[in-house]
Amino acid sequence: MDPMTSSALHTPRGPVTRKDVARYAGVSTAVVSYVVNGGPKRVAPATEAKVQDAIRVLGYRPNAAARALKLGSSETLGLIVPDNSNPFFSLLAHAVEDAAADLGYALVLTNSDGNLAKERRNIRNLAARQVDGVLLASVLFEPDLDDLEKADIPSVLMNHGREAAGFNSIGVDLAAGARIAVEHLIGHGHTRIGLAMGTNVSGEVDGRERGWLEALRDAGVPEGQIVHGEFTRPGGHLAGQRLIASANRPTAIFASSDMQAIGILRAVREAGLTVPGDIALASFDGSVESEYSWPALTTVEQPVRAMAEAAVAALVGAGRGEPAQHRIFPTQLRVRQSCGCP
Amino acid sequence: MDPMTSSALHTPRGPVTRKDVARYAGVSTAVVSYVVNGGPKRVAPATEAKVQDAIRVLGYRPNAAARALKLGSSETLGLIVPDNSNPFFSLLAHAVEDAAADLGYALVLTNSDGNLAKERRNIRNLAARQVDGVLLASVLFEPDLDDLEKADIPSVLMNHGREAAGFNSIGVDLAAGARIAVEHLIGHGHTRIGLAMGTNVSGEVDGRERGWLEALRDAGVPEGQIVHGEFTRPGGHLAGQRLIASANRPTAIFASSDMQAIGILRAVREAGLTVPGDIALASFDGSVESEYSWPALTTVEQPVRAMAEAAVAALVGAGRGEPAQHRIFPTQLRVRQSCGCP
DNA sequence: TTGAAAGCGCTAACAA
DNA sequence: TTGTTAGCGCTTTCAA
């Protein structure tokens, strides 16, 4: 049979459906389903060949919406980040997309732009779209779990520091990471170590601040100065300027994110000073950008890939259905030049 | 009526559907639809209030899959990029997400990781998911349009240099942008201007190479050296090393992307040279990172936001249904310090 | 202004 | 091994 003719005959209008395939192959729609999905019933080889042929000739593509409706699953995951142009989150998004794709899931990406209202809208929107799970990197340290709870969708809190009853969450040990970085700075002989923190909305003290403080105390080093700013390059720039202008200018700074450190680098140069000569610097995250700055940043690296995989697994992989848990991943100090190491 | 009781009464099993709402409100399912969608029929205010109430009490959320099946539209767009952790593409993704969200569309993000097979798989996957349009930033300069054509989905080629018959495409005038940057370098008195190009798979000469060459010729400056490398920091690093090691070392380099320039910056420093003192540098893209490097990069900025909006509009906005066209956006030279300007 | 009902494409239970 | 068919939740035409 001439494929062209048949195709014209069988797909006069609109897209090809399972029915068209069935008719062309001379079988029932059920058999087409069995072939397409590899089950749940077996199909005779000859029949399968006919069906495969029909699919190819007609250019049939299953309708995912219909499947989602029937199955109650869209095979889609939702990711909510404050800003996916921030290198940390863009890496996270990439890793999550990879992990999801490995399991046959697509990823819907949404940005909250540091805006809580938008974050909540995103949660509701994803819920309405029947995503099978959402990964939330909240703009808040303590996200509004109400929305997520009401959405009634498997979820995991990313980039999250502490236990949240009834929720999966994934994060790194901020305090331990900060501590090791600050200890490294202390090892270089510094005794005036400032801290550039993020803007912490929660009532609780951020782990990085705790780690910084503990390292200082344990070493008998006087408590340094704290400046708060956004987790961005401009935020770090501002924080750096403030730290540099302060009466008792620190000889070292620990920044709570690489982006801030990049901004601090600029502030130091603008002040006619150098890193690490005048001010040593260490930061948090381990983004690629930290490797190519000048000088290269000594930074506490987060295992983004592993965290993304764990998150996806908890939602739709091996960990699905298991009780919610808080998973903490280890960080690793990447020693480069900004701290004063050669 | 006690909401708790009613809720318990009306949602004994599973998620709340439109039927539950109709029963609770004492109306038909059609009316619920009218209320939820604001049409196509008008509903009496009193009835509407009852329905709204029922929706709130029962916590009803419309099922997007069912809607998509009925309407033949998932109100979803697909974006395919080579690598969304590349700052240029992460910015593009963010801008596209914003533009799509404004029109009520969600964005499915996929990475091809520089892999053509994966790109094609992504196209097919998005097509199966009934996305209403796909934005393709191909790993190739001349993408395989067959796949896209077969998918039979509205699409637009992003980051695309030339006309492709029957396809929407959006890009920037690469040659003009390169030209203005190289002219600027020439204005600084340079006569040995190298070019760090990307890896061009197409047979055609990349616009940036053409612009570079034309600027040189028009100014009567001898043709410089070309080195090819990946559009990444390490790719630029390598390209920089090669350019620096060459017999007739250039005094200025034009890089075809910011990421390459960042890598070149590192190569120059490692060689004990400085930018712009020993080697002046200008690049292409205008990513945020270029503003915070040291020295800050003089770069040809692409209007990413505008391009993203135009792409989304062509797919599901005002431009939907219009004949396919190739849209070229203007670039702008951001003069900073890497070129030698103060 | 409201309601009844058909049907979007698919899966899978059940029947043959 | 294959076929028939109900029904997933929604939109909308047509009738009341």
Side-chain angles (χ1 to χ4, degrees):
Chain A
M1 198 189 263
D2 177 1
M4 289 301 288
T5 312
S6 327
S7 172
L9 263 173
H10 289 271
T11 60
R13 22 122 220 166
V16 184
T17 77
R18 181 216 47 183
K19 210 170 183 175
D20 300 312
V21 175
R23 192 175 317 127
Y24 185 98
V27 300
S28 77
T29 60
V31 173
V32 178
S33 252
Y34 302 151
V35 170
V36 169
N37 303 326
K41 301 269 182 68
R42 290 204 63 75
V43 173
T47 316
E48 159 140 20
K50 273 194 301 184
V51 173
Q52 292 289 15
D53 208 57
I55 288 175
R56 202 161 11 78
V57 170
L58 301 180
Y60 168 71
R61 288 178 297 107
N63 181 319
R67 191 181 151 87
L69 174 59
K70 181 69 187 176
L71 261 28
S73 153
S74 56
E75 305 198 321
T76 296
L77 259 26
L79 173 64
I80 306 174
V81 293
D83 171 13
N84 89 294
S85 27
N86 175 319
F88 177 74
F89 292 117
S90 72
L91 186 57
L92 179 66
H94 194 144
V96 168
E97 198 264 312
D98 282 352
D102 279 350
L103 268 46
Y105 285 77
L107 210 229
V108 173
L109 173 73
T110 66
N111 287 286
S112 312
D113 295 315
N115 178 333
L116 182 58
K118 211 166 163 208
E119 176 174 309
R120 305 180 62 174
R121 213 176 319 138
N122 286 336
I123 292 175
R124 280 195 296 269
N125 192 242
L126 289 173
R129 286 171 183 277
Q130 324 297 125
V131 299
D132 298 306
V134 359
L135 301 93
L136 171 61
S138 179
V139 302
L140 260 38
F141 281 91
E142 305 190 46
D144 196 335
L145 302 174
D146 267 18
D147 281 312
L148 219 44
E149 205 146 29
K150 250 183 276 167
D152 194 33
I153 289 182
S155 60
V156 38
L157 274 18
M158 303 294 296
N159 208 19
H160 198 253
R162 46 198 294 264
E163 198 97 19
F167 281 86
N168 284 305
S169 55
I170 283 181
V172 295
D173 190 334
L174 296 172
R179 196 189 173 104
I180 204 171
V182 174
E183 280 168 353
H184 185 86
L185 255 14
I186 292 172
H188 275 290
H190 293 283
T191 54
R192 288 207 308 280
I193 303 180
L195 172 67
M197 261 313 300
T199 44
N200 191 331
V201 187
S202 134
E204 202 156 324
V205 174
D206 186 280
R208 284 162 288 198
E209 184 170 335
R210 260 198 353 263
W212 165 79
L213 203 57
E214 286 169 12
L216 259 29
R217 286 198 181 140
D218 287 3
V221 168
E223 193 169 316
Q225 196 175 159
I226 306 183
V227 166
H228 287 267
E230 288 194 352
F231 286 113
T232 59
R233 299 178 188 86
H237 186 222
L238 219 67
Q241 290 175 327
R242 305 240 301 275
L243 247 11
I244 290 166
S246 69
N248 199 24
R249 187 213 294 158
T251 63
I253 299 175
F254 173 61
S256 62
S257 81
D258 286 344
M259 290 302 97
Q260 287 181 312
I262 298 282
I264 291 172
L265 238 30
R266 193 218 265 233
V268 172
R269 283 192 297 256
E270 286 173 351
L273 304 174
T274 67
V275 172
D278 298 301
I279 297 183
L281 190 57
S283 61
F284 208 98
D285 280 351
S287 59
V288 185
E289 196 169 339
S290 70
E291 201 179 332
Y292 279 81
S293 68
W294 178 247
L297 293 173
T298 289
T299 181
V300 179
E301 185 172 292
Q302 300 198 45
V304 173
R305 199 123 220 131
M307 293 193 290
E309 280 161 11
V312 170
L315 255 21
V316 296
R320 177 190 23 169
E322 309 246 313
Q325 59 172 321
H326 181 50
R327 298 249 273 132
I328 296 184
F329 283 72
T331 56
Q332 195 173 9
L333 186 68
R334 292 268 169 234
V335 177
R336 292 198 275 249
Q337 290 82 52
S338 68
C339 60
C341 281
Chain B
M1 195 189 262
D2 177 0
M4 289 303 287
T5 312
S6 326
S7 171
L9 262 173
H10 290 270
T11 61
R13 23 118 218 169
V16 183
T17 77
R18 184 214 46 183
K19 210 171 182 174
D20 300 312
V21 174
R23 192 176 316 128
Y24 184 99
V27 299
S28 77
T29 60
V31 173
V32 178
S33 253
Y34 302 151
V35 170
V36 169
N37 303 326
K41 302 270 183 69
R42 291 205 63 74
V43 173
T47 317
E48 159 140 19
K50 272 194 301 184
V51 173
Q52 293 289 14
D53 208 57
I55 288 175
R56 203 162 11 79
V57 170
L58 301 180
Y60 168 70
R61 287 178 299 107
N63 182 319
R67 192 182 151 87
L69 173 58
K70 182 69 188 175
L71 261 28
S73 152
S74 56
E75 305 199 320
T76 296
L77 259 26
L79 173 65
I80 306 175
V81 293
D83 171 14
N84 89 295
S85 26
N86 175 319
F88 177 75
F89 292 118
S90 72
L91 186 57
L92 179 66
H94 194 145
V96 169
E97 199 264 312
D98 282 352
D102 279 350
L103 267 46
Y105 286 76
L107 211 229
V108 173
L109 174 74
T110 65
N111 287 285
S112 312
D113 295 315
N115 178 333
L116 181 58
K118 211 166 164 209
E119 175 174 311
R120 304 180 62 173
R121 213 176 318 138
N122 287 336
I123 292 175
R124 280 195 296 269
N125 192 242
L126 289 173
R129 285 171 184 277
Q130 324 297 124
V131 299
D132 298 306
V134 358
L135 300 93
L136 171 61
S138 178
V139 302
L140 259 38
F141 281 91
E142 305 191 47
D144 196 334
L145 302 174
D146 267 18
D147 281 311
L148 219 43
E149 203 146 29
K150 250 183 277 170
D152 194 33
I153 289 182
S155 60
V156 36
L157 275 18
M158 304 294 296
N159 208 20
H160 198 252
R162 46 199 295 264
E163 197 96 20
F167 280 87
N168 285 303
S169 55
I170 283 180
V172 102
D173 191 335
L174 296 171
R179 196 188 172 103
I180 204 170
V182 174
E183 281 169 354
H184 185 86
L185 254 15
I186 293 171
H188 277 289
H190 294 283
T191 54
R192 289 207 308 279
I193 304 180
L195 172 67
M197 260 314 299
T199 44
N200 191 332
V201 187
S202 135
E204 201 155 325
V205 174
D206 186 281
R208 284 161 288 198
E209 185 170 334
R210 261 197 353 263
W212 165 80
L213 203 56
E214 287 170 11
L216 258 31
R217 287 196 180 142
D218 288 2
V221 168
E223 195 170 316
Q225 195 174 160
I226 305 182
V227 166
H228 287 266
E230 288 194 351
F231 285 114
T232 59
R233 299 179 188 85
H237 186 223
L238 220 67
Q241 290 174 327
R242 305 239 301 276
L243 247 10
I244 290 166
S246 69
N248 200 23
R249 187 214 293 159
T251 63
I253 298 175
F254 173 61
S256 63
S257 81
D258 286 344
M259 290 301 97
Q260 287 181 312
I262 298 281
I264 291 172
L265 239 28
R266 192 216 266 232
V268 172
R269 282 191 298 255
E270 286 173 351
L273 304 173
T274 67
V275 172
D278 299 301
I279 297 183
L281 190 57
S283 61
F284 207 98
D285 280 351
S287 59
V288 186
E289 196 168 339
S290 69
E291 200 179 334
Y292 279 82
S293 68
W294 178 247
L297 293 174
T298 289
T299 181
V300 178
E301 185 172 292
Q302 300 199 46
V304 174
R305 200 122 221 133
M307 294 193 290
E309 280 162 11
V312 170
L315 255 22
V316 295
R320 175 190 23 169
E322 309 247 311
Q325 60 172 321
H326 180 49
R327 297 249 273 134
I328 297 184
F329 283 72
T331 56
Q332 194 171 10
L333 186 67
R334 291 267 170 236
V335 177
R336 293 198 273 250
Q337 290 81 52
S338 68
C339 60
C341 282

